[in-house]
Amino acid sequence: MGSVVSCFRRLCVEEKKKEEERLLRANDRQFNLSYHYVNNAIRTSKYNIFTFLPLNLFEQFRRLANAYFLFLFFLQLIPQVSSLSWYTTAVPLVLVLSITAVKDATDDINRHKSDNQVNNRKVEVLIDGELRKEKWMNVQVGDIIRLENNQFVTADLLLLSSSEPLNLVYVETAELDGETNLKVKQALTVTGEMGDNIDELAAFDGEVRCEPPNNRLDKFKGTLTLKEQTYALDNDKVLLRGCTLRNTEWCFGLVIFGGPDTKLMQNSGKTTFKRTSIDHLMNVLVLCIFGFLAFMCSVMAIGNAIWEAREGSVFLAFLPYEAGVNATLSSFLSFWSYIIVLNTVVPISLYVSVEIIRLGNSFFIDWDRKMYYPKNDTPAQARTTTLNEELGQIKYIFSDKTGTLTQNIMTFNKCSINGQAYGDLYDFSGQRVEITEKTQKVDFSRNPLADPKFVFHDHSLQETMKEGNPEAEAFFRLLALCHTVMSEEKKEGELYYQAQSPDEGALVTAARNFGFVFRSRTPETITVMEMGRQVVYELVAVLDFNNVRKRMSVIVRSPQGKITLFCKGADTIIYERLHPSCDKLKKVTTGHLNEYAGDGLRTLVLAYKNLDEGYLEEWRQRHHEASTAMEGREERLDQLYEEIEKDMVLLGASAVEDKLQDGVPQTIEQLAKADIKIWVLTGDKQETAENIGYSCNMLREEMKDIFIVAANTAEGVKEELQNARRKMCPEGAEEPVVMRSRAGLFWLKKTETVQDEKVDGEYGLVINGHSLAFGLEKDLELELLRTACMCQTVICCRVTPLQKAQVVELVKKYKQAITLAIGDGANDVSMIKAAHIGVGISGQEGMQAVLSSDFSFAQFRYLQRLLLVHGRWSYLRMCKFLCYFFYKNFTFTFVHFWYAFFCGFSAQTVYDEWFITLYNLVYTSLPVLGLSIFDQDVNDRWSFQYPQLYSPGQQNMYFSKRAFVRCMMHSCYSSLILFFIPWAAMHDTVRDDGKDIADYQSFALLAQTCLLIVVNMQLCLDTHYWTAINQFFVWGSLAAYFAITFTMYSNGMFLIFTSAFPFIGTARNSLNQPNVWLTIFLTTLLCILPVVAFRFIFIQLRPTINDKVRHKVGKEALPAPAPRRPARRISTRRSGYAFSHSQGYGDLVTSRKFLLKRPLKRQVLFTQTDSPLAQNKPQHYRTIREEVEESQSL
Amino acid sequence: MMASSYNAKDEDGHITVSGPGGATLRSKKPENTAFKQQRLPAWQPILTAGTVLPAFFIIGLIFIPIGIGLYVTSNNIKEFEIDYTGVDMSSPCFNCSQNYSWNSTKPCTCTIPFHLDQPYESNVFMYYGLSNFYQNHRRYVKSRDDSQLNGAAGSLTEPSKECEPYAYHESKPIAPCGAIANSMFNDTLELFYNDPNGTKIQIPLNKTGIAWFTDKHVKFRNPGGNNPNLTAVFQGTTKPVNWRRPVYELDTDPENNGFINEDFIVWMRTAALPTFRKLYRIIHRKNSMVPTLPRGNYTLEVVYNYPVRSFEGSKRVILSTISWMGGKNPFLGIAYITVGSVCFFLGVVLLIIHHKYGNRNNNADISN
């Protein structure tokens, strides 16, 4: 019945797809019902209690391996073919199926629970003229519902009215797109007038005509028809499910889309399923194995035909054919019989074991304390549990900058005022002292308005301020006045700044703490507390920032009537406009600026100029004219600004640190040593990105050259890229060396691989967004890729989210290398999804990146642990597992192959059927799991000490087709030993009491015991890290084998299940024979010794990096980590005006509109939670225009 | 400049998170257990010259003596083998092998004289050997009914399907059913000592104690409980097609008749390989002074029933003494000596390799 329902549902969905337009009428359920819109119930679960079994089984049998085993099972039911009892396949199959089914069931129960919880949430619905509490799932399209503050939006609603003025509603869209800032929605005036008048709302009968359900979050098109008037509807009037209502007492909305039709649901469930390269390889290998199996069976069938002709036909007196069978048919049947006997080459437990291993390694990532970030209380999280081993093969990392490499926190670090540098600490001998957590901080408690989170260490500046140094006062006055920051003061003395760029926030906060508190502004005035005294300045003009000017100025009039122009900007720009009298000071300040730049700080130069009233009046006049001019307004204004901003007096310079996250340079250094290439893809502008490149050690002074590609035409880009490449590699070929090959299942997928080119020396490449756009075009992409891949470091600036994904795709396409993308914001999502592995930094910019990532943690530096330790181990373990697993199964199977030559190719098994059943599931499963969950070649600290250990993974050294073939040869050898040594030893032999021991059952027991001991010994040889658990598993498995064998071969079992356990007494009678044990011992040694000898020779002759390090581990203690020298760059490369990314918003500051739009009770943008952890977070300046910027970059 | 002194170990410091009321919040910090942090104490063996080389030498030193011991033991075992298939015209059994029929009522007998060069001191075991006989063929191996052989009444009258086509004969159930039972070896072998004084002394051959204890007492049981009247018990069943006598007439001794007849049990324990030998009789040593089989001339009298020439098989009789390691099989001894020597040799080779190249590894600096 359930399936009928689901079929019906599917049909409904089909119908909905055809829906071209949605028409609905408010408060008219009858009318709306005629369109069969779905109600607001959602269902993310896959099964119900009736459909679970059939559907789940169906899903499971869609897997190749499971279907294969089902096929085998049916094959075994044919008596003529069945060479093994049905249970040899059925038991493992049922076990595997039920483990998976239990896992699926628990997942689905959880989904049911969350569905129920969501569906049963209550909301107030307007029914029959009154508000009633209804469950979410009963809400219908066309209903009017009332939402209250902090409630989740029930369905996709058309906003009708709200409690706020102008019918505004504030929503948080974190769950939808990950952005934590509030967004404003506004209702139509005509509906807003209804307010919360229930009668009017109940009588509301507007008709909405809109687009059918879709997944576009940022678009909505429709019309509202009310009293024969038509109003246009857009995204601003729609509240989407998944948002939360904030700062709004109540609002009313009309349900447009419900349940599965909502944009939230339409967007979910479309995660692309990522598979690792080992997965692909494994699939290919399994197919190869199928082919090999068919080949072996054909050999057996031919052998059988020959045998039947030569021996079988004359042996008929003792062994007649079964009814209806002749020699030809017999060889055909033996083909299928051998399919059954040799089926163990395709190991049923392979996939299950692989999943278990990955799960185990994922848990280790979740549990790692060294990837736990205490400040946010965030542990690392493996969100996808199927990709671990790929972490050990990363070749390229694509990183976001803001929030990933940097904390997105700016701190005012140093300043130079009138030639005097502040911010550094020196000891008695004049040596610079490093500032640590313990260094004493400047105490700002005297200033009641100071920001308690502001930290400064140099007390001399405080002293200077106390002395009343006029330059210092002017310096901070400038910082308090010349900016476009908005302030909010909820309570007296509790100031919050909202800055356009975090730099500005930092500067204004610095001024605030040193006694020049920017308090509030109106379009005409700025109120500042100057050393405890309130001063109101008149704001005459704001000469705004833009990319060309690289400076901003304000002109203010003090209460005394003094008119001053304050200007801050990029050093080069300001220096050109200084009064010649400042030359001396300029020189000193330049020295400081170089020093700051060398530390990777963002610098600004501050200057001022006093103006006289008359000139200003005249200038204002002209300014007014210019700003109202119809033609050439920009140029004219620029000219005016240029005119007034000259002959300024230098005040000093400020240095703001774009705080890197802890440990970023070290991490990058480590990853570089591991031969991982890091590309930074950032939306920042070039100077900022370059600057960060230096400060986080990606661009280094010792690099031979750093190419900057910033051309504006395709030809230009091509030329610059080619020049760079020729410089790096003069003898390099003009045409790229492309390796074409086929890969994947059935070799259908064509791949092109661009070979790496040798370059001596390190180079860096910086490319801006424009050039990148050209570079990513079809004809230039190879050029870009070749040049970029020759460089150690690549920085792309001004990159859009789409381009980020394109860059990742480009490398994926031509390099066949494993890529990792790491980022924290919504703009990184595309890249995270495109890369093989996506890592999300949790914490700062919402959860969007984390939600679409495969792994998440709080700090960039954990990446090195994730890759160099967890990734490396996972890869190592997976490869060891696969090698060993194939080895043990091949060895097991090949013995049958050899035996066939002695049993007339009759598909007689060498081992007891129970042994065949239990071999993979019981006897060998735990030891190999122990190996592949706990093994480490060297521990984490040595892994960090030698990042080169990572490179074998990048080159696929541990497991590849070659390794697989090697593995097969090895099993071939082992199986030969395992068959022929017992064969020779048992041939014509008797027991020590003269009785039979060369019988089939004793031989089977001997062969299987040898096999089990050999594979366990091989495991021991492969295990590098012997924990107690490993020991327990290995010895436990052997003990279990003997215990189970003795039990199964006991009298009791035989008497109860006579036909199932015919091996009665074999164990007792044969394992007490000395020559049996001597044979076992000989076999084991013959299998193991050559391996030991080979490995030893390889270690001696061609030691790998692992061997070397392991040798060192055995010999020496871990060297203490070298103390890091503070990275200090002596450079003339100076950061430019690292200020903000876009046009300033001086216009907004001076316009009334802006201030009015911000209701006073609006919550500030700092996340305010009750958690004390959140309180510990440093203050964090958000850009006000985030939304605008987002849409620009998109 | 905080970043400059970053050390991963700092992260592991203990930071207690306390709430506003001083209560400690439950943090999501993972537990610090050796298991979860993957710091389980472990032994990390590596293949170094110090462990590998001695191992090879020691194995060599242990294996060679063992091998010599085994070889000597095996060589001390006396074994005598006669092929009586009768392929050769000159062979005494040639005639019998030619006119063979399963159902011939007249037994064909042949006499084979042979000479033992050495006296056989201890118990002597007499085996019959068949070659090219595929007792390990899948269809053959499974063609039996263990429940029937275990005395289950139901299986006696309704043999398992596995026995087909030897489950029913003339619509009567066959007991014992199946191809294995049907093809039971039925030659009779007798041994005579030709005393130098001319008399022919029959050597007593013991026909019990040749099967495994577990087979005789657990796996095989006659139906009908302890009913001594086997004829009655097997009422309603028929003998296997190729047999001359029904199963309850295999022997006169009730402890060795029916399914628990030891010749039958030995036959039913199918061989692993197409050439095999099975214990036929035991010649017990009578007293310590006289050898069991003194040196001299013997005669083997064969009642030739079992056809093997049709499938190019052969029949043998083997007389053998045994030792603590079973019958004569020089393989293990030779193998141990060989492996031991190879180990020793390999040890020397590895030592040379290590001496010449090994230092490269030890002193090699890992480019950092």
Side-chain angles (χ1 to χ4, degrees), chain A residues 206-473:
Chain A
E207 258 185 32
V208 174
R209 198 178 279 276
C210 68
E211 58 187 13
N214 60 54
N215 62 3
R216 289 193 304 271
L217 290 178
D218 51 342
K219 283 219 172 65
F220 179 79
K221 239 165 61 190
T223 53
L224 172 73
T225 313
L226 187 67
K227 293 176 189 130
E228 282 153 34
Q229 277 275 347
T230 307
Y231 306 91
L233 300 178
D234 61 12
N235 203 31
D236 265 355
K237 299 173 179 59
V238 178
L239 299 179
L240 298 181
R241 182 173 179 149
C243 301
T244 320
L245 205 61
R246 298 278 186 219
N247 294 349
T248 310
E249 232 167 83
W250 50 260
C251 76
F252 282 91
L254 170 67
V255 178
I256 300 177
F257 300 121
D261 287 345
T262 57
K263 304 216 175 201
L264 175 73
M265 298 306 288
Q266 296 266 325
N267 260 311
S268 61
K270 268 180 211 142
T271 44
T272 45
F273 192 61
K274 289 183 184 172
R275 287 198 152 278
T276 66
S277 56
I278 291 229
D279 266 326
H280 289 295
L281 181 60
M282 224 155 67
N283 280 339
V284 173
L285 290 182
V286 166
L287 275 190
C288 290
I289 294 172
F290 275 134
F292 185 65
L293 175 66
F295 168 74
M296 284 201 295
C297 293
S298 307
V299 171
M300 295 288 99
I302 294 167
N304 186 269
I306 296 171
W307 186 86
E308 289 290 349
R310 290 180 46 187
E311 319 254 349
S313 55
V314 291
F315 198 55
L316 284 176
F318 295 111
L319 185 63
Y321 288 127
E322 281 161 59
V325 179
N326 59 27
T328 335
L329 185 57
S330 147
S331 83
F332 175 73
L333 288 181
S334 91
F335 178 85
W336 295 108
S337 301
Y338 270 108
I339 291 271
I340 297 173
V341 171
L342 303 181
N343 79 71
T344 38
V345 281
V346 186
I348 188 167
S349 46
L350 175 69
Y351 290 95
V352 181
S353 309
V354 165
E355 294 303 314
I356 293 175
I357 291 162
R358 287 179 178 155
L359 196 67
N361 284 319
S362 304
F363 274 123
F364 282 131
I365 292 174
D366 293 347
W367 287 335
D368 196 332
R369 279 164 77 91
K370 288 179 184 160
M371 299 207 297
Y372 165 81
Y373 191 53
K375 282 196 188 128
N376 289 355
D377 191 28
T378 330
Q381 200 187 357
R383 298 172 44 84
T384 311
T385 55
T386 55
L387 298 174
N388 307 34
E389 75 270 3
E390 209 143 67
L391 288 174
Q393 300 184 277
I394 305 291
K395 189 88 189 136
Y396 291 89
I397 291 178
F398 300 91
S399 173
D400 176 38
K401 193 210 84 178
T402 314
T404 305
L405 298 177
T406 63
Q407 302 180 20
N408 206 11
I409 292 175
M410 302 289 166
T411 52
F412 177 83
N413 238 9
K414 287 172 194 177
C415 60
S416 157
I417 300 171
N418 201 22
Q420 176 69 45
Y422 299 96
D424 274 332
L425 294 183
Y426 296 93
D427 60 14
F428 304 113
S429 58
Q431 282 286 349
R432 199 159 78 136
V433 181
E434 193 152 328
I435 291 168
T436 61
E437 296 261 17
K438 288 180 195 117
T439 315
Q440 200 196 345
K441 294 167 190 159
V442 176
D443 179 24
F444 294 108
S445 57
R446 226 162 44 89
N447 178 353
L449 286 169
D451 182 348
K453 285 158 202 145
F454 181 82
V455 175
F456 203 76
H457 297 284
D458 189 356
H459 292 267
S460 60
L461 185 55
Q462 180 90 326
E463 296 304 315
T464 314
M465 289 305 290
K466 271 188 203 154
E467 286 162 17
N469 180 320
E471 278 85 11
E473 284 187 355

Side-chain angles (χ1 to χ4, degrees), chain A residues 79-80 82-83 307 311 314-315 317-322 337 364 366-370 372 374 377 379 434 437 663 666 673 861-862 870 873 877 899 902-904 906-908 934 936-937 946 948 981 983-985 987-996 998-1003 1024-1027 1029 1051 1054-1055 1058 1062 1064-1066 1068-1069 1074-1075 1078-1079 1081-1082 1085-1086 1089 1093 1095-1097 1099-1101 1105 1108-1112 1124 1172-1173, chain B residues 1-4 6 11-12 14-15 17-19 25 27-32 35-38 40-49 52 56 59 63 70 102 125 127 132-134 136-142 146-147 150 165-166 179 183 209-212 214 218-219 221 269-274 277-279 306-307 310-311 316 322-327 329 331-332 335-336 339 343 350 353-354 357-358 360-362 364-368:
Chain A
Q80 281 83 4
S82 167
S83 42
W307 186 86
E311 319 254 349
V314 291
F315 198 55
F318 295 111
L319 185 63
Y321 288 127
E322 281 161 59
S337 301
F364 282 131
D366 293 347
W367 287 335
D368 196 332
R369 279 164 77 91
K370 288 179 184 160
Y372 165 81
D377 191 28
E434 193 152 328
E437 296 261 17
Q666 291 86 337
K673 274 192 207 160
R861 65 167 180 272
Y862 298 150
H870 288 284
W873 283 345
R877 288 166 184 173
Y899 190 54
F902 294 86
C903 69
S906 60
Q908 176 64 16
F934 300 112
Q936 333 182 333
D937 49 353
Y946 293 105
Q948 303 94 313
I981 296 292
W983 172 81
H987 185 74
D988 276 353
T989 306
V990 294
R991 281 155 54 89
D992 56 2
D993 56 1
K995 293 175 190 171
D996 222 1
D999 65 303
Y1000 168 71
Q1001 294 187 339
S1002 303
F1003 184 76
H1024 282 157
Y1025 194 76
W1026 277 97
T1027 64
I1029 301 171
N1051 302 355
F1054 175 75
L1055 293 177
T1058 306
I1064 171 182
T1066 313
R1068 274 172 282 169
N1069 282 305
N1075 58 350
L1078 283 171
T1079 313
F1081 193 50
L1082 180 69
L1085 271 178
L1086 270 177
L1089 279 182
R1095 292 200 180 164
F1096 182 72
I1097 289 174
I1099 290 177
Q1100 298 297 314
L1101 296 184
I1105 176 85
K1108 287 182 189 168
V1109 175
R1110 279 168 59 77
H1111 194 267
K1112 264 201 161 36
R1124 254 191 71 86
L1173 283 171
Chain B
M1 292 289 99
M2 264 173 58
S4 53
Y6 163 69
E11 293 289 306
D12 221 304
H14 295 278
I15 294 161
V17 185
S18 26
L25 284 187
S27 99
K28 286 188 223 144
K29 183 163 195 171
E31 276 173 65
N32 190 9
F35 176 76
K36 288 190 171 180
Q37 302 308 317
Q38 304 197 64
L40 286 175
W43 171 57
Q44 290 173 273
I46 33 174
L47 294 179
T48 59
V52 174
F56 271 86
I59 290 170
F63 266 45
L70 286 171
W102 273 113
F125 296 79
Y127 300 91
N132 219 6
F133 191 100
Y134 285 84
N136 59 357
H137 195 282
R138 181 169 59 87
R139 290 209 309 278
Y140 189 86
V141 171
K142 69 173 188 180
D146 278 318
S147 319
N150 195 230
Y166 298 111
S183 58
I210 57 174
W212 285 10
T214 44
V218 185
K219 197 171 179 185
R221 260 189 276 173
R269 183 153 282 281
T270 52
L273 299 162
R277 60 170 70 169
K278 285 184 181 292
L279 186 54
Y306 203 71
S310 63
F311 59 92
R316 292 162 295 151
I322 55 165
S323 70
W324 60 270
M325 55 157 291
N329 185 347
F331 170 78
L332 267 186
Y336 265 85
V339 171
C343 268
L350 292 184
I353 289 177
H354 173 67
Y357 304 99
R360 221 199 266 170
N361 174 18
N362 295 357
D365 237 359
I366 304 156
S367 58
N368 212 331

